[in-house]
Amino acid sequence: MSGLFGSEDANLVAELTDDRSLLEAERKRRQIERPPKKSHAAVLIKLGNKISNLAAVAGSTPSSWDLDRCLAYLDWAETIVENLPPCHPAALAEFRTTLARSHNVLSDRAK
């Protein structure tokens, strides 16, 4: 990959890629534990990914996900972001806005 995109991009991909040989629970645990060690670029990508995922969970929830699973995802995503090193304030504000909006959408759906 570094031959195609350069070592900086290859390192960033490696930093953000989960080890698929691990069980899902272990991968999720590592995502919570590892964020403080992420580079600034990886933090911004991780934050953008979580913003996108929150909007997707609230807007087009997978049919196999019940309300509890959706809410658990929101909580897990929030825990990951809370453990990230300080980053761009506007990106963090967007995450918080999207998280609140997602909670509202899911709460309305549960009524």
Side-chain angles (χ1 to χ4, degrees):
M1 180 187 271
S2 61
L4 291 172
F5 301 104
S7 61
E8 185 177 331
D9 289 342
N11 289 339
L12 193 53
V13 169
E15 187 177 359
L16 290 164
T17 302
D18 289 340
D19 181 349
R20 292 289 182 179
S21 70
L22 301 172
L23 296 174
E24 182 180 3
E26 177 62 15
R27 289 194 313 265
K28 286 187 170 233
R29 185 186 66 76
R30 286 184 178 203
Q31 284 192 37
I32 291 170
E33 290 179 352
R34 295 167 96 191
K37 301 173 182 130
K38 297 238 180 273
S39 67
H40 182 71
V43 167
L44 291 176
I45 291 169
K46 178 66 81 174
L47 189 54
N49 177 255
K50 293 301 168 214
I51 291 167
S52 175
N53 290 352
L54 291 179
V57 166
S60 57
T61 306
S63 60
S64 62
W65 285 33
D66 62 12
L67 180 61
D68 288 339
R69 183 165 181 189
C70 292
L71 293 173
Y73 181 84
L74 299 185
D75 291 344
W76 175 72
E78 183 176 24
T79 300
I80 289 172
V81 171
E82 286 174 354
N83 287 324
L84 291 172
C87 64
H88 197 281
L92 192 53
E94 181 62 27
F95 173 82
R96 290 185 178 129
T97 298
T98 305
L99 178 64
R101 189 178 315 119
S102 298
H103 272 291
N104 290 338
V105 167
L106 293 173
S107 294
D108 288 346
R109 197 177 295 160
K111 292 177 184 175

